[in-house]
Amino acid sequence: MKIVIVTDIFGLCESIDNLIRHLAHYMINPVVIEPYQGIRYNFLSEQDAYEAFIEKCGHDKYLSLVSKSLSIEKPELIIGFSAGASAVWRVSNLDNLECRGAICFYPAQIRNHLDIKPKIPLKVVFPCTESAFDVLDISNRVSSYENVNTDITPFQHGFMNNRSAAYDLSGEMYGLKLIEMNISS
């Protein structure tokens, strides 16, 4: 199975390395799309990572990079995190996206793109709260779209990334199980 991972604002980091190792147990070597052209940064905080993301890439440039990469890679499954999940949401309605489905973990920018109607099966995994919007309201709105299934977790935004202040081992295990279910289905 061909999988593409679209990272969050931290880009290449230990959590992505761990996910790649986890997928290797399924004989999967995923392609990783990240905002920093292969450069690893050791951000001291999420604020530092966000400032670097906006300065070096930004949401629209990341969207363009993700769209171009997915058209080349043609994955069966896309896994996106935060800014990466938001980019996946934004490309999910493109006609040239040939994909079995996608999992979008905590795509906060989804709130700004509710006009998008995904053409691929998409699982949106929300944190329990977001400071910028009402999670239940947005979840209810997008879950009414064809091809969209949502889940509101008891975890905070960033629960899958050990660089995030919201990292949660139980949340990471939950996310990995969700990914495994999509691999085996």
Side-chain angles (χ1 to χ4, degrees):
M1 169 177 275
K2 187 165 193 179
I3 293 180
V4 167
I5 297 168
V6 187
T7 76
D8 60 13
I9 59 174
F10 286 93
L12 296 174
C13 64
E14 184 182 347
S15 287
I16 296 299
D17 297 340
N18 291 342
L19 179 54
I20 291 169
R21 275 193 292 281
H22 187 79
L23 293 172
H25 295 297
Y26 296 91
M27 308 305 277
I28 295 170
N29 184 22
V31 171
V32 178
I33 302 170
E34 48 78 32
Y36 307 114
Q37 301 173 349
I39 298 171
R40 283 180 178 261
Y41 291 96
N42 280 327
F43 298 111
L44 299 177
S45 69
E46 288 181 62
Q47 184 61 36
D48 288 346
Y50 183 74
E51 288 171 8
F53 174 76
I54 295 302
E55 176 189 324
K56 297 179 185 309
C57 189
H59 291 288
D60 290 337
K61 188 174 175 187
Y62 202 27
L63 170 67
S64 179
L65 173 65
V66 169
S67 179
K68 184 176 169 185
S69 298
L70 291 176
S71 69
I72 293 167
E73 296 299 335
K74 300 193 183 332
E76 292 173 66
L77 178 65
I78 308 165
I79 305 167
F81 300 95
S82 194
S86 295
V88 172
W89 172 265
R90 290 176 70 189
V91 301
S92 68
N93 68 342
L94 299 178
D95 288 327
N96 67 343
L97 184 60
E98 300 171 25
C99 182
R100 194 174 88 187
I103 307 170
C104 295
F105 289 95
Y106 36 87
Q109 291 294 318
I110 195 172
R111 71 188 187 276
N112 298 319
H113 304 283
L114 297 174
D115 57 322
I116 294 197
K117 304 289 193 273
K119 294 182 179 177
I120 61 169
L122 207 138
K123 173 79 166 182
V124 181
V125 182
F126 287 104
C128 55
T129 61
E130 285 280 7
S131 60
F133 63 91
D134 179 314
V135 170
L136 183 58
D137 175 55
I138 298 297
S139 176
N140 286 339
R141 288 171 73 176
V142 300
S143 67
S144 71
Y145 301 170
E146 188 176 347
N147 291 322
V148 178
N149 185 311
T150 64
D151 191 8
I152 299 175
T153 70
F155 312 109
Q156 296 294 327
H157 184 113
F159 66 82
M160 292 280 291
N161 189 330
N162 65 8
R163 296 254 178 178
S164 171
Y167 172 72
D168 187 297
L169 180 59
S170 297
E172 182 181 33
M173 293 298 111
Y174 161 82
L176 291 174
K177 288 286 183 208
L178 187 60
I179 291 168
E180 290 169 5
M181 287 175 14
N182 278 272
I183 291 171
S184 60
S185 66

